[in-house]
Amino acid sequence: MFKKGKSTKNRALPGNESLLRQLWNDPMGRAGMIGVGIVILLAVFAPWIAQYDVAKMHAKDKLTGPSAAYWFGTDNFGRDVFSRIVYGARVSLVVGIVAVGIAAGFGYLFGMIAGFFEGKVESIIMMVMDVIFAFPSILLALFIVSALGPSIVNTMIAIGIVNIPVFCRTVRASVKTVKSTDYIANARSIGLKKMTILFKHVTPNVMAPFTVQATLALSGAILTEASMSFLGLGIQPPNPSWGSMLSDARKYMERAPWLVIFPALFIIMTILSFNILGDALRDVLDPKLKL
Amino acid sequence: MENLLEIRNLKITTLRGKQSVRLLDKVDLNIAKKRSFGIVGESGCGKSITANAILGLLPYPLRVAEGSIRYDSKAGERELLQLSKKELREVRGQEISMIFQEPMTSLDPIFTVEMQMYEALSFHHPGLARGEMRDRALEMLRRVNIPRPEQTLTSYPHQLSGGQLQRIMIAIALINDPRLLLADEPTTALDVTIQAQILRLMNDLKEQNDTSIIMITHDLGVIAETCEEVAVFYAGQVVEQANVVELFGQTAHPYTLGLLRAVTSLGGESRKLYTIPGIVPPGGQWAQGCRFADRCEKCMEKCRQAMPALTEVVPGHLCRCFLHSEEVEQ
Amino acid sequence: MSIINPKDALLDVRHLQVYFPIKRGLMKRVVGHVHAVEDVSFTVRPREVFALVGESGCGKSTTGSAVLRLIEPTGGEVYFGGENLSALTEEQVRLKRRDMQFIFQNPYASLNPRMNVWKLLSEPLKVHFDLSAGELRERVEEMLSRIGMTPDQLERYPHQFSGGQKQRISIARALITHPSFVVADEPVSALDVSIQAQILNLMMELQQEMELSLVFISHDLNVVRHISNRVGVMYLGSLMETGDTEELYRHPAHPYTQALLSAVPSHDPLHKSQHIMLEGDVPNPANPPSGCPFHTRCGRCTEECRKHKPALREIAPDHLVACHHVE
């Protein structure tokens, strides 16, 4: 019989190593961790890293290119692009984490209920999820924000709601898969209580796909925030956000390309890092890939 | 060529990380014309990959590292390992065909039996009219004893039972009158009463046609019922090879003996079954000397130091063991 | 209907029936039933190995699960140690599981991949006993050495073991609470031939040492002959024949048992088995035939067989057959 060529990635680690350690030893995981780490560092230490106040307009230095004084140049108001990007990381991360928190929390709850109590409850929950899912997410988020009014909190709520169905489906699907495995039947035959089975056997096996989904959803949420801000319905000025920076830069694209290039680069790097990290997590969390 | 198929010095490797790991080691086999040849062994011994190598179907990262597979085709002698993909496709299905262990997953669920049979037929006989194809397909279904062939022809795989599907797989494999049929555990997924039907069918078909069969199985009972010549594989090598009567009657290698005793001690007086201790060592973890030494109850000092060669103990009976020959593998 | 006094039996299964509903459409309407187990009765005595044999889909595994109420039977009763399991609440059955366990077919799937050996083996003890940490450790290590493994393997996870070792762990997990009754569902069929013998020997030793009653479910007739004291042959959800193993293998009375036994390939190329060929396939259990379930494939089928389902009758001491034509 053939051994399926699963993954030739570095996985010669015993099962007890910490998760971070294992991620670090995987080349892709390391790349993702470094990328995500940079964004987190920028966000946390923004006041120390940024050279200028984000709102300060340097009237004499409008639309100057990258230089020693302004690393990433200045915009049409003479504001320092580098400082705005550093603070923008804060916005992106906070919006991403809170929105995914909302989505993951409700998604997990509904998904567990739907997966565990089959029948009518499941049908109703999944019907509602399908309805939410049917709207293009950006449209739905825009609709929610225009109803609640544009603000950073409402942006987070909107992105959160839009992402609930993804989590709900992931959790429900894995609960159902885990429920039908032999080792759950085995746990019953041993004489375990239903709640014990749920917490000790089902939950840990659901957590892996759930964590991966959360990492991937973070990148999605950051992207949605950027798109919403780009359309003017996300983060409001003078707060810097990568999306709104891009939006403001449109008019000066030809004269001052750095206004577009740097925020775009950071958006791409952040999204890519989270996605790579998510994929690496998937490998690390699969116990069968460990030797 | 005297034989239909001659495998010489076949070595197959795979990649584990960046390391090349050997899975099959210097295998020589001769498959005579109109004979049924059995390959028996446990999982991981290299029997399935040998069959896949013959058809050029080794999945990445497995590859043939060395060796030759010569085949006496209708158009003359050919070296299978050196054929182009196109030439290989012509050989596959027309001259050599294969049936697999899982009939349930070997047929495409979205096509009817009819379409899958026509596909096999038209690939090697383009320009055949639909009526002719239908006649040929019906004839094949009748030959494999499918009840109500007309109705079966328009069925989808999920409407048929495992036994019926395996018959259809055999019908498809034989539709182009191949000269060699590779059967990889064809009855392992089937029940005993259905297995008995399929084995009888394969025996009958071999009698009627000039087809040679290579039967790959872990079941010595299947070998005893269907094969004339047998090779026993262990850890990527042939450890014993003989005529079936000779092999079962005058078993020479301790591993073959162990396999036989493990099944034939069943139902005996003793409640304790004969066991071979340990497990088959996986590729890359083979011992320096005899690869069975660690599990062998007759293991001697030299078994751990040198590998015995596959030598003829009596005419036509090969065995790789120092109990029967002093010869060392070079 | 049982030959032996039910009081002597550890397990007494009476008229067990399991039907699975077939649901179709949006509203999941029940459109029919799969008759998985149909009126099955048998007894298992203390320290006895009772084998259920049959081909795939005959209902042997479902019977095994329903006996332990891992699947809820739709009819019939199961008496375990004189107590009617069918009448107990779910919680009462759960507590009973200390004394009756199940060994699964596929050790690759039945062990939680996220639990190491220590967790797998200590879990059943924690559920059913109130042990100190020291006692827990002692009993786990004792069981571990019993299955031929060492304490340094406690920290390892299932995927780090071979198939045979995994099945050893499954067996240990089932037996660590010292049950008196175990159902083993095809415990060796996923393993290689040379490993099968190792596991079967281990099971036989443990069965004798621990004085277990065992229901051994298998399609492998050689293994069943070796391991069991008595056999029940199932076909399409019904028991066709039961009896002492040697008696049944030497003098199979039911036409299906005869065909089944003759189909086993012989290991002697000079004396090939004289197969009794069965035509066709097993009927669909969602739409079972009238009368005797085997009549569609039986060479001795008569009008009577098509109309009436034969009951199990005793033809020799402790040898029961469900066939109109056996005297």
Side-chain angles (χ1 to χ4, degrees), chain A residues 24-100:
Chain A
W24 187 251
N25 281 311
D26 177 281
M28 293 303 274
R30 187 180 300 188
M33 275 174 89
I34 291 174
V36 170
I38 290 175
V39 179
I40 293 175
L41 283 179
L42 288 183
V44 172
F45 297 106
W48 290 275
I49 296 170
Q51 298 157 295
Y52 305 96
D53 183 336
V54 286
K56 175 141 199 249
M57 304 183 192
H58 306 268
K60 278 184 280 175
D61 299 318
K62 286 183 187 165
L63 294 175
T64 57
S67 66
Y70 308 104
W71 293 353
F72 290 177
T74 57
D75 67 3
N76 53 317
F77 295 112
R79 293 177 299 194
D80 178 38
V81 173
F82 177 71
S83 305
R84 291 181 67 77
I85 281 181
V86 170
Y87 274 92
R90 234 178 215 201
V91 173
S92 292
L93 217 57
V94 169
V95 172
I97 289 170
V98 175
V100 169

Side-chain angles (χ1 to χ4, degrees), chain C residues 169-221:
Chain C
I169 298 168
S170 307
I171 291 171
R173 183 165 150 92
L175 299 187
I176 199 160
T177 58
H178 287 274
S180 56
F181 172 62
V182 171
V183 175
D185 186 5
E186 304 259 14
V188 295
S189 63
L191 306 171
D192 263 325
V193 184
S194 71
I195 310 299
Q196 282 194 6
Q198 297 172 7
I199 299 295
L200 286 172
N201 278 343
L202 176 70
M203 287 187 67
M204 303 294 286
E205 284 166 27
L206 289 170
Q207 186 262 331
Q208 305 222 311
E209 271 176 36
M210 300 173 80
E211 307 193 326
L212 283 175
S213 299
L214 187 63
V215 168
F216 189 90
I217 298 164
S218 178
H219 70 279
D220 189 326
L221 293 149

Side-chain angles (χ1 to χ4, degrees), chain B residues 88-217:
Chain B
L88 207 55
R89 271 201 301 274
E90 278 163 15
V91 171
R92 233 183 262 157
Q94 180 161 4
E95 298 223 358
I96 307 178
S97 50
M98 186 154 177
I99 46 180
F100 299 91
Q101 176 171 351
E102 286 287 341
M104 300 295 183
T105 52
S106 306
L107 283 169
D108 193 327
I110 63 164
F111 295 111
T112 58
V113 169
E114 183 175 38
M115 289 159 92
Q116 308 198 39
M117 293 190 82
Y118 294 173
E119 191 188 14
L121 201 54
S122 63
F123 185 77
H124 297 289
H125 302 278
L128 217 57
R130 206 175 163 81
E132 287 171 289
M133 291 205 285
R134 186 180 155 82
D135 290 345
R136 178 83 180 131
L138 282 175
E139 182 202 327
M140 288 312 299
L141 289 183
R142 281 193 199 101
R143 266 172 60 192
V144 297
N145 302 329
I146 290 268
R148 298 184 300 280
E150 283 87 359
Q151 194 191 325
T152 307
L153 214 49
T154 53
S155 306
Y156 286 91
H158 72 267
Q159 295 167 315
L160 303 163
S161 71
Q164 283 175 310
L165 287 175
Q166 197 59 297
R167 284 161 193 274
I168 290 165
M169 286 309 297
I170 294 174
I172 292 176
L174 295 180
I175 202 163
N176 292 312
D177 277 327
R179 288 151 59 90
L180 178 61
L181 179 64
L182 301 176
D184 189 359
E185 305 265 10
T187 58
T188 305
L190 306 175
D191 284 313
V192 271
T193 58
I194 308 296
Q195 166 171 292
Q197 294 172 0
I198 297 289
L199 293 183
R200 174 192 271 190
L201 172 70
M202 291 185 68
N203 276 340
D204 291 350
L205 290 171
K206 194 192 76 197
E207 305 285 312
Q208 292 160 18
N209 304 294
D210 295 340
T211 309
S212 292
I213 296 178
I214 298 183
M215 173 73 80
I216 294 162
T217 178

Side-chain angles (χ1 to χ4, degrees), chain C residues 11 20 39 52 66 74 77-78 83 88 96 140 144 149 152 157 161 180 186 201 213 229 245 270 278 316:
Chain C
L11 186 83
F20 295 117
D39 192 13
L52 278 176
T74 39
E77 290 108 49
V78 177
E83 193 171 11
L88 298 184
K96 275 259 162 232
V140 168
L144 205 63
M149 290 170 72
D152 60 295
Y157 287 81
F161 294 99
S180 56
E186 304 259 14
N201 278 343
S213 299
N229 310 111
T245 305
L270 290 177
L278 287 181

Side-chain angles (χ1 to χ4, degrees), chain A residues 141-163:
Chain A
L142 288 175
F143 175 76
I144 295 171
V145 168
S146 50
L148 298 176
S151 80
I152 193 162
V153 175
N154 290 344
T155 305
M156 294 190 287
I157 293 175
I159 298 175
I161 292 175
V162 167
N163 278 299

Side-chain angles (χ1 to χ4, degrees), chain C residues 16-21 33 37 66 71-76:
Chain C
L16 189 74
Q17 184 198 57
V18 184
Y19 284 6
F20 295 117
H33 286 94
V37 179
I71 294 175
E72 287 298 326
T74 39

